[in-house]
Amino acid sequence: MVAIIGGETRRFRPLIDIYREAGERAGHSSDRLKIGVHSLGYVAATQEAADDFFPGYARAVHRHREGAGMAGRHASGFRCVRRGPQGSLLVGSAAEVIEKIIRHSEALGGVSRFTFQMTAASLSHAKLMRAIEILGTRVAPELRKELAAVNSENREQAIERI
C-alpha cells in the first residue's frame, strides 16, 4: 500500500518500481506483487463533492501546515492541483472518481486496491454513509467493468464510456 495524500500520483511510480524490482529479485513473480493505494477521497454529485469536502479538508491541512510553520490556506491548490486530473484527491462524482482511479492505476503500472480516507474532511455521518453507498453500488462495479475493458481495449475508449 502506498499512502498518497498529496501531490501528483505519478510521482510515486518510482516507489512502486522499487517494490516490484525487490519482489522479483526475491523470487516473486510480477503477477503476485499487488499494489494498493490509500488516498483522500469522497464521492457525491460533482460540485457537491468538492463543496462538501473542501472546508473540513482545508481546516485539517491548515492545522497541519500551521503546526509545521507553514501558514496559509490553499483553495486554488485544492481545486486545480489536488483535484485536477493528475492530483491525488479522489473527490468528485462517481464517473470522475472512476476515471481518476483508472488514470492513477495506469500511472502506477497497475493497482489492485484503492482505499479512501474520507474523515479528513469532517463530513457528517449521513454524507459518509451516502458516499460509501455510492462507492459500493456505482464506483466499484463500474470500475471493475472498466478495468476489464482497459485490459482488453484502448484506455481512451473505456474512459469515454464512463
Side-chain angles (χ1 to χ4, degrees), residues 93-103 138 142-143 145-147 150 155-162:
S93 69
E96 287 175 314
V97 169
I98 291 164
E99 181 179 335
K100 199 162 191 182
I101 288 173
I102 292 169
R103 189 178 302 113
R138 293 183 55 207
E142 186 67 24
L143 187 57
K145 185 170 76 175
E146 293 301 327
L147 288 176
V150 167
R155 178 186 173 276
E156 287 76 22
Q157 291 172 341
I159 289 177
E160 284 177 9
R161 288 195 318 271
I162 295 177

Side-chain angles (χ1 to χ4, degrees), residues 53-126:
F53 190 84
F54 180 70
Y57 169 80
R59 281 190 304 275
V61 170
H62 180 71
R63 280 193 304 270
H64 172 75
R65 291 172 58 87
E66 195 173 57
M70 306 179 300
R73 293 187 184 243
H74 59 292
S76 63
F78 169 77
R79 287 179 172 77
C80 298
V81 178
R82 289 171 181 83
R83 260 199 83 220
Q86 307 307 319
S88 61
L89 294 179
L90 297 169
V91 175
S93 69
E96 287 175 314
V97 169
I98 291 164
E99 181 179 335
K100 199 162 191 182
I101 288 173
I102 292 169
R103 189 178 302 113
H104 286 348
S105 181
E106 185 177 77
L108 296 173
V111 174
S112 63
R113 174 171 299 169
F114 272 85
T115 60
F116 280 65
Q117 172 67 33
M118 293 187 284
T119 57
S122 302
L123 297 162
S124 71
H125 180 73

